[in-house]
Amino acid sequence: MAKYNPVTPELLEELKKVVGEANVKTDAETLDRFKTDEETDPRLMHLPEVVVWVNSTEEVAAVMKLANQFVVPVTPRSAGTSVSDGAIPVLGGIVLNMEKMNKIIEINEDAMYAVAEAGARTIDIQMAAKAKGLLYAGDPCSAESCLIGGNIATNAGGNKAVRYGTTRHQVYSVEVVTPTGEITTLGSRLKKCSTGYCLEQLVMGSEGTLGIICKATLKLLPLPPHKVDIAAVYDDLDKAVTLVPNLVKAGLEPTSVEFMDSNFLKSSCEYSEIKLPHCDEGVCYLIVSMETFNEDEVDAKMEKLAEICEESGAIDVLEADERVWTVRKNCLESTRSLSKIAQSDDLVVPVDQIANCIKRLTEEAKKYDFTMFCLAHAGDGNLHFQHMKGDMSDEAWEQQQHAFHETAYSYVYSLGGRISGEHGIGAKKVYAMEKYTDPVELAMMKAIKKALDPLDILNPGKVMNVY
Amino acid sequence: MAKYNPVTPELLEELKKVVGEANVKTDAETLDRFKTDEETDPRLMHLPEVVVWVNSTEEVAAVMKLANQFVVPVTPRSAGTSVSDGAIPVLGGIVLNMEKMNKIIEINEDAMYAVAEAGARTIDIQMAAKAKGLLYAGDPCSAESCLIGGNIATNAGGNKAVRYGTTRHQVYSVEVVTPTGEITTLGSRLKKCSTGYCLEQLVMGSEGTLGIICKATLKLLPLPPHKVDIAAVYDDLDKAVTLVPNLVKAGLEPTSVEFMDSNFLKSSCEYSEIKLPHCDEGVCYLIVSMETFNEDEVDAKMEKLAEICEESGAIDVLEADERVWTVRKNCLESTRSLSKIAQSDDLVVPVDQIANCIKRLTEEAKKYDFTMFCLAHAGDGNLHFQHMKGDMSDEAWEQQQHAFHETAYSYVYSLGGRISGEHGIGAKKVYAMEKYTDPVELAMMKAIKKALDPLDILNPGKVMNVY
C-alpha cells in the first residue's frame, strides 16, 4: 500500500486558500457524517480527516495538486448512494464533496444534448429534458437522490438499460480532473470518432479512480409520448425468460423487462395490501414496458406483446397498472419486516443465462440458513438477490454469506458474467475483483492506474488495490 | 524514438519455430507487397524486414514475446484497406499478417451473437448473420474487402452508424494479445457491467497500438425485413441539414442519411450515364434509408418521411431507387477522370454543425487551385471532402493541401469536431493528432501506451509518437 501523510494544519491552510474557509471542515460531526455512504455496517466505515466542498473544476484541480504535493488520499463523493462502499474514505485523507457543483448549464433542444455539472441531481436532468420534450435515458433506481457525476463514475444502470444502455451510453463527453490535478475534456459531441484512444469510456465506470468527473455533456433523445405496460405471469421460470429474446427479435424494443420471483411477489403484495392475480400461487411476474411515438401503434404493439407473452407460455397476461408497479417498488421495503439485516447482490450474466443462474443459485441458497429472494432487470441479465439474515447469529451469517458468494461468483464468471452489473466494486468487492478477474486484464488495469496516478492519490482502495 | 534492433537470422529461426517455415517470408517480392496499404504515395511506404502469417492467438502471443525479447517492432495487418497508412510498417520490423485467422466460429441465433476470428471478412459475417435472419450492423464502405479485426482496431464507421453506431458499438468482447505478448479477453457478452475498467473500449479504436485483436464476440440484431429509401433534393444546404434532427425527433430512426453535393451529383451522373432529376441545377441530394419490422408501417413511414423532407424545404422528394444508389456509389470513381491524384478528408463534427462546416470549408477551398467535392454521412456528422490535384505542380499541391488542412483542422476542433470520423489516424495524421489534441489528453494516451507497451513494440509510429 502506498504511504500517505496525515492531513496537516499546513495542508488545511492551503485547502482553505483554494475553496474558502467555510468549505473546509474538520469538526467531529462533519467527519462522522462522511464516514459512510449507504453502508450500514460500522466495521466498514472510515472517518475522513477533512471534508472539502468544491465549487468549480479549477478548485477540484487545485485540491488534487495539493493532495499530490502533500501525498494525501482523496475520495470524491457524489450523493453517497453507493451500496458498494464507493464513497467511503477507506484510507482517510480528504473527502472531496461535489454536491455544490450542481448546475444544469444547458439543455439544447435543437442539437439534443444537455450540459450539467457533476453535482446535478439525475432527476433534475431528467425533468429539465422532459420539459423540452426530450428524454435523458439514464435512469438508476436512485434517480431521485443520486447525482449525475456518481452515475457516470459507476456507470449506473437502472430500469431503461434494455433499450437505451447504461449511463456510459448516455454521455458524449466529460470534463475531468486527472489524478495529478490537470483539467481536460474527454470525448466530444460526436456520433462517430476514430481520433485516438477512447479515454472517456475508460474514465467512465472507473469509480473515480482515474479522474474526477466535473461536468458532462449528455445525449438527449426524442421522448416517446406513448407507453404500453403489461405484466406476464409464469409458473415456469424457463418459459418466463424466453420472453426477452422473443421480444427483441420481434423488433419490439422493450424499455424495461423487470422480473419478480414468487417470494418477492408474495411479500410485497402483503406489505402493499394489494392482491395481484395469482400472487399466492407461487408464480413469477415479468413486467414489460414499451414506448412508442405513434398513438396508432399502441394497440397493435400491445396485441403483439400479449401474443408473444402467451406464446412463451404465460399463464396470464395483465395490463400493468399502478398496482403492479406499486408492488414492484415495494419489494425491498417489504422484506424489512422479515429481516432487519439484509444484503443485496448485483450479479450480471448473459441474458440467455438468467434462468440458469436464478435456478442454480436459488438451489444453492437452500443449503444455507438465510432466506433469499430474487428481483432482476431481466432484459439485461442483471440479478439482485436479496439475502435475509433473520435470526441467524452474526458469525453464521457472515460465514454463510462468504461461502455462498464463493460459489456464486465462480459460477457467474463461468457463465461469462461479472460480479457487478450496476452498483460497482467500490471498496466492498475489491477482494472478489482481485480473485475473479483474469490476471492479465487485472494487470492491465493496475498498470493504467499507476501510469495515471503514480502516487495512488485518487480514491485508493477502490476497484482494486494497486499497491 | 525507441531504439529497435534489426531482424536477425536468429529471430527468423525463432519465428519459424512458432508459425512454421512457410509462414515467415523475407523475399523481396513479399516485402515489397507489404510496404503499403491503400497508400499510393511511394514516399510514405516502408518495407518490412519480415512478414509473418499467424494461425492462432497463441502464435500471435509467441510472436509478440519474441518481438519484445529481440526489441523489434511489429505492425499487425488486417486486409490492408487503411487509407491512413495504418498498415504500413513505418519503422520496419515484422508485419504480422492476420488473414489466415479467418474463421467464423459461431453464429448463435438464440442468444444473438457471433464469434469470429480477426481475419474473417466483414461481409462474410454480415452474410452469415443474414442467413439466420439476423443483422450484423457494422457496415464500413469497404465491407466486401475489409476484415473484422481491422474494423474493430479502427472503430470503422460506414453507412449505418446513424442508427446502430460504429464498430465499437457492435462488439461484446475481444480476445487480444497485449503488446508484451499476453493473452486475455476484454469485455463480455453482457448488456450491463460495472466491474472494473472498460478496457475493451480502450483497445478498440487504438489502431492496433494497445493490443492485437485476435477474436471477437459480436452483437447481432433482429434484421428489419422492410426498407424505405428516399432522396430529398435541396437547393439550400442549411435547409438540407435540418432534416437530420427533424427525422430523429420524429422517432423515425433513419439507418443512413447520405449527403452528395452538387459537384459529386453532376460528375457521378455523367460518369454513370444516369440523368437524375435536377442533376444539372446545382442542387444537393440527401438519401435517407429507414428500416421497419412491420409491413403495415412502410407506407405510413414513407409518408411521414416525405412530409418531414418537404417541411424542411426540399424542392423535390423521390423514391431512392437503384439509379440513385448507383450514382452515390460511383461518386469517388467518377472523379478519377477529373484528376489522377486525389486526397480524401475524414472530418467529423457535431451533427448540427455540418452545414456550417461544409459551407465554411467549401468557401476556404476556393482560395486554392485544387478542386474540392463533398460527400457526407450527414446523419452522423462525418464529412469526406475529395481534393483533386488536376494539373497542379507537386509542390503547389502539397503546400496548398497543408495550408488548407491547417485551417480546416483548427476550425473543426473549434466546432468540437475531430480529424478522423472513421478512417483513423494511422501514420498519416500523427502530426495533426499531436498538434490538435488537448495536451493533457495526449499525455494520458502516451502514459497508457507506455504503461502497456514499455518498449513501444506494437505498431509504433501510429496514432502518436510515444518517444
Side-chain angles (χ1 to χ4, degrees):
Chain A
M1 187 174 296
K3 288 255 168 70
Y4 299 107
N5 296 321
V7 171
T8 58
E10 191 193 348
L11 172 56
L12 292 176
E13 277 317 299
E14 293 296 326
L15 288 169
K16 285 174 186 170
K17 281 186 209 161
V18 170
V19 298
E21 183 134 4
N23 288 318
V24 177
K25 295 196 175 175
T26 53
D27 62 284
E29 190 275 326
T30 299
L31 300 186
D32 193 66
R33 189 148 56 94
F34 290 101
K35 72 182 177 196
T36 191
D37 41 31
E38 289 285 313
E39 182 58 66
T40 52
D41 184 341
R43 291 168 305 176
L44 299 173
M45 300 175 186
H46 200 288
L47 286 173
E49 293 160 75
V50 56
V51 181
V52 176
W53 280 261
V54 279
N55 286 289
S56 69
T57 303
E58 289 68 28
E59 287 184 7
V60 175
V63 170
M64 285 309 298
K65 288 271 186 208
L66 286 173
N68 274 273
Q69 186 190 327
F70 285 84
V71 195
V72 166
V74 174
T75 302
R77 184 183 177 101
S78 192
T81 55
S82 174
V83 292
S84 310
D85 304 352
I88 297 179
V90 288
L91 293 164
I94 300 168
V95 159
L96 188 80
N97 196 314
M98 304 294 292
E99 69 190 6
K100 290 189 178 179
M101 290 177 63
N102 61 0
K103 281 191 283 299
I104 296 176
I105 297 165
E106 184 183 2
I107 301 283
N108 191 310
E109 263 173 282
D110 293 328
M112 301 175 71
Y113 67 87
V115 181
E117 289 185 321
R121 279 202 311 167
T122 306
I123 195 169
D124 291 337
I125 296 169
Q126 291 172 340
M127 298 305 286
K130 199 172 178 180
K132 304 261 183 171
L134 295 169
L135 171 72
Y136 170 66
D139 190 30
C141 298
S142 58
E144 294 191 14
S145 47
C146 62
L147 310 180
I148 192 67
N151 291 186
I152 297 171
T154 322
N155 183 28
N159 297 322
K160 293 181 177 166
V162 197
R163 177 163 182 169
Y164 297 109
T166 57
T167 299
R168 67 164 76 253
H169 303 109
Q170 318 308 327
V171 182
Y172 277 124
S173 67
V174 280
E175 182 175 280
V176 300
V177 168
T178 69
T180 52
E182 308 294 334
I183 298 171
T184 187
T185 297
L186 304 176
S188 45
R189 195 162 60 74
L190 301 173
K191 291 204 179 284
K192 242 182 190 174
C193 189
S194 289
T195 308
Y197 301 167
C198 185
L199 297 184
E200 66 277 21
Q201 291 295 345
L202 178 68
V203 169
M204 292 195 271
S206 76
E207 303 188 35
T209 63
L210 295 182
I212 301 176
I213 288 148
C214 295
K215 199 161 88 181
T217 301
L218 306 166
K219 299 176 190 174
L220 300 180
L221 298 169
L223 184 69
H226 309 286
K227 205 171 164 229
V228 174
D229 272 350
I230 65 128
V233 184
Y234 292 88
D235 59 5
D236 180 332
L237 186 61
D238 279 312
K239 288 179 184 165
V241 294
T242 62
L243 182 60
V244 180
N246 289 339
L247 290 173
V248 173
K249 282 180 195 166
L252 284 179
E253 293 194 287
T255 311
S256 44
V257 186
E258 296 292 303
F259 170 87
M260 247 187 310
D261 76 356
S262 56
N263 294 316
F264 264 126
L265 179 64
K266 191 161 176 287
S267 78
S268 188
C269 277
E270 281 167 13
Y271 174 88
S272 315
E273 299 181 355
I274 291 175
K275 201 169 153 52
L276 291 182
H278 314 284
C279 67
D280 296 323
E281 299 169 20
V283 299
C284 59
Y285 265 51
L286 270 177
I287 314 175
V288 182
S289 289
M290 257 173 15
E291 294 164 327
T292 165
F293 285 91
N294 194 332
E295 194 167 2
D296 303 346
E297 289 174 12
V298 172
D299 287 346
K301 288 212 167 178
M302 178 72 110
E303 215 169 284
K304 182 83 189 158
L305 182 53
E307 192 184 308
I308 293 175
C309 290
E310 275 156 21
E311 275 171 15
S312 67
I315 59 166
D316 204 353
V317 180
L318 325 161
E319 197 170 338
D321 56 16
E322 237 359 89
R323 296 163 70 241
V324 174
W325 282 111
T326 302
V327 168
R328 168 65 186 84
K329 277 180 201 149
N330 286 341
C331 275
L332 285 183
E333 199 63 28
S334 76
T335 62
R336 298 259 161 99
S337 60
L338 304 179
S339 173
K340 264 187 213 158
I341 291 177
Q343 160 128 355
S344 180
D345 277 326
D346 174 39
L347 308 173
V348 61
V349 294
V351 176
D352 56 303
Q353 297 298 329
I354 297 180
N356 287 339
C357 190
I358 295 177
K359 284 190 294 186
R360 168 78 179 78
L361 295 182
T362 304
E363 200 53 40
E364 175 70 18
K366 289 181 186 163
K367 296 181 191 166
Y368 303 98
D369 299 324
F370 54 77
T371 315
M372 194 175 90
F373 289 7
C374 177
L375 275 179
H377 304 298
D380 45 43
N382 189 196
L383 305 158
H384 297 309
F385 290 110
Q386 181 81 351
H387 303 255
M388 281 157 286
K389 181 171 178 251
D391 54 9
M392 288 173 74
S393 72
D394 286 358
E395 201 188 339
W397 163 248
E398 256 179 52
Q399 183 259 314
Q400 293 190 17
Q401 278 286 299
H402 181 74
F404 174 83
H405 283 121
E406 288 282 299
T407 306
Y409 291 163
S410 296
Y411 174 66
V412 159
Y413 269 83
S414 77
L415 297 177
R418 294 290 183 270
I419 54 174
S420 174
E422 55 182 11
H423 295 165
I425 301 301
K428 204 165 193 166
K429 291 185 189 163
V430 166
Y431 162 79
M433 179 78 190
E434 302 228 337
K435 178 162 180 182
Y436 295 100
T437 304
D438 173 80
V440 175
E441 186 185 1
L442 190 65
M444 287 175 76
M445 290 184 194
K446 291 189 180 187
I448 290 169
K449 170 67 175 168
K450 282 183 192 175
L452 299 182
D453 188 6
L455 300 178
D456 203 19
I457 294 299
L458 187 54
N459 218 3
K462 306 293 165 63
V463 185
M464 58 205 173
N465 288 315
V466 182
Y467 295 101
Chain B
M1 186 173 296
K3 287 255 168 68
Y4 299 106
N5 295 322
V7 171
T8 57
E10 192 194 348
L11 172 55
L12 292 175
E13 278 317 301
E14 294 296 326
L15 289 168
K16 285 173 186 171
K17 281 185 208 160
V18 170
V19 297
E21 183 134 5
N23 288 318
V24 177
K25 293 196 175 175
T26 53
D27 62 283
E29 190 273 327
T30 300
L31 299 186
D32 193 66
R33 189 147 57 93
F34 290 101
K35 73 182 175 195
T36 191
D37 41 31
E38 289 285 313
E39 181 57 66
T40 53
D41 185 341
R43 291 168 305 177
L44 299 174
M45 299 174 188
H46 200 289
L47 286 173
E49 292 161 75
V50 56
V51 181
V52 175
W53 279 261
V54 280
N55 286 287
S56 69
T57 303
E58 289 68 27
E59 287 185 7
V60 175
V63 170
M64 285 310 298
K65 288 269 186 208
L66 286 172
N68 275 272
Q69 184 189 328
F70 285 84
V71 195
V72 165
V74 174
T75 302
R77 184 182 177 100
S78 191
T81 55
S82 174
V83 292
S84 310
D85 304 352
I88 297 179
V90 288
L91 293 165
I94 300 168
V95 160
L96 188 81
N97 195 314
M98 303 295 291
E99 69 190 6
K100 291 188 177 179
M101 290 177 63
N102 60 2
K103 281 191 283 298
I104 297 176
I105 296 164
E106 184 184 3
I107 302 282
N108 191 311
E109 263 174 280
D110 293 328
M112 301 175 71
Y113 67 87
V115 181
E117 288 185 321
R121 279 202 310 167
T122 306
I123 194 170
D124 291 338
I125 296 169
Q126 291 173 340
M127 299 303 287
K130 199 172 178 182
K132 305 260 182 173
L134 294 169
L135 171 72
Y136 170 67
D139 190 29
C141 299
S142 58
E144 293 191 14
S145 47
C146 63
L147 310 180
I148 191 69
N151 291 186
I152 296 171
T154 322
N155 184 28
N159 298 320
K160 293 181 178 165
V162 196
R163 177 162 182 170
Y164 298 109
T166 58
T167 299
R168 67 164 77 253
H169 303 108
Q170 318 308 327
V171 182
Y172 278 124
S173 67
V174 281
E175 182 176 280
V176 300
V177 168
T178 69
T180 52
E182 309 293 335
I183 299 171
T184 188
T185 297
L186 304 175
S188 45
R189 195 162 61 70
L190 300 173
K191 292 204 179 283
K192 241 182 192 174
C193 189
S194 289
T195 310
Y197 300 168
C198 185
L199 296 185
E200 66 276 20
Q201 291 295 347
L202 178 68
V203 169
M204 293 195 271
S206 77
E207 303 188 37
T209 63
L210 295 182
I212 301 176
I213 288 147
C214 294
K215 201 161 85 182
T217 301
L218 307 166
K219 299 175 190 175
L220 300 179
L221 299 169
L223 184 69
H226 309 288
K227 206 171 163 226
V228 175
D229 272 350
I230 66 127
V233 184
Y234 292 87
D235 58 5
D236 180 332
L237 186 62
D238 279 313
K239 288 179 184 165
V241 295
T242 62
L243 183 60
V244 180
N246 288 340
L247 290 174
V248 173
K249 281 181 194 165
L252 284 179
E253 291 196 288
T255 312
S256 44
V257 186
E258 295 293 303
F259 170 86
M260 248 186 308
D261 76 355
S262 57
N263 295 317
F264 262 125
L265 178 65
K266 191 159 175 287
S267 77
S268 188
C269 278
E270 281 167 13
Y271 175 86
S272 314
E273 299 182 355
I274 291 174
K275 200 168 153 56
L276 291 182
H278 314 284
C279 67
D280 296 323
E281 298 168 22
V283 298
C284 59
Y285 265 52
L286 271 178
I287 316 174
V288 182
S289 289
M290 258 174 17
E291 294 163 326
T292 165
F293 285 91
N294 195 332
E295 195 168 359
D296 304 346
E297 290 174 12
V298 172
D299 288 347
K301 288 212 167 177
M302 177 72 110
E303 215 169 286
K304 183 84 189 154
L305 182 53
E307 191 185 307
I308 293 175
C309 290
E310 276 155 22
E311 276 171 15
S312 67
I315 59 166
D316 204 355
V317 180
L318 324 163
E319 197 169 338
D321 56 16
E322 236 359 89
R323 297 162 70 238
V324 174
W325 282 111
T326 302
V327 169
R328 169 65 187 84
K329 276 180 201 150
N330 286 340
C331 275
L332 285 183
E333 200 63 28
S334 77
T335 62
R336 297 262 160 97
S337 60
L338 304 177
S339 173
K340 264 185 213 157
I341 291 177
Q343 161 129 352
S344 179
D345 277 326
D346 174 38
L347 308 173
V348 62
V349 294
V351 176
D352 56 303
Q353 296 299 328
I354 296 181
N356 289 338
C357 190
I358 295 178
K359 284 190 292 187
R360 168 79 179 79
L361 294 182
T362 303
E363 200 53 40
E364 175 70 18
K366 288 182 185 162
K367 296 182 190 164
Y368 303 98
D369 299 323
F370 53 78
T371 316
M372 194 175 90
F373 290 7
C374 177
L375 277 179
H377 303 299
D380 44 44
N382 188 196
L383 305 159
H384 297 309
F385 290 110
Q386 181 81 351
H387 303 255
M388 282 158 286
K389 181 172 178 253
D391 54 10
M392 289 173 74
S393 72
D394 285 0
E395 201 188 337
W397 164 248
E398 256 180 52
Q399 182 260 314
Q400 292 190 18
Q401 280 286 298
H402 181 74
F404 173 83
H405 282 120
E406 290 282 300
T407 306
Y409 290 164
S410 296
Y411 174 66
V412 159
Y413 270 82
S414 77
L415 297 176
R418 293 290 183 270
I419 55 174
S420 174
E422 55 181 11
H423 294 165
I425 301 301
K428 205 165 193 167
K429 292 185 189 162
V430 167
Y431 162 79
M433 179 78 192
E434 302 228 335
K435 178 161 180 181
Y436 296 100
T437 304
D438 173 81
V440 175
E441 185 184 4
L442 191 65
M444 286 176 77
M445 290 184 195
K446 291 189 180 188
I448 290 168
K449 170 67 174 169
K450 282 184 191 174
L452 298 182
D453 187 6
L455 300 178
D456 202 19
I457 294 299
L458 186 55
N459 218 4
K462 306 295 166 61
V463 185
M464 59 204 173
N465 288 316
V466 181
Y467 293 101

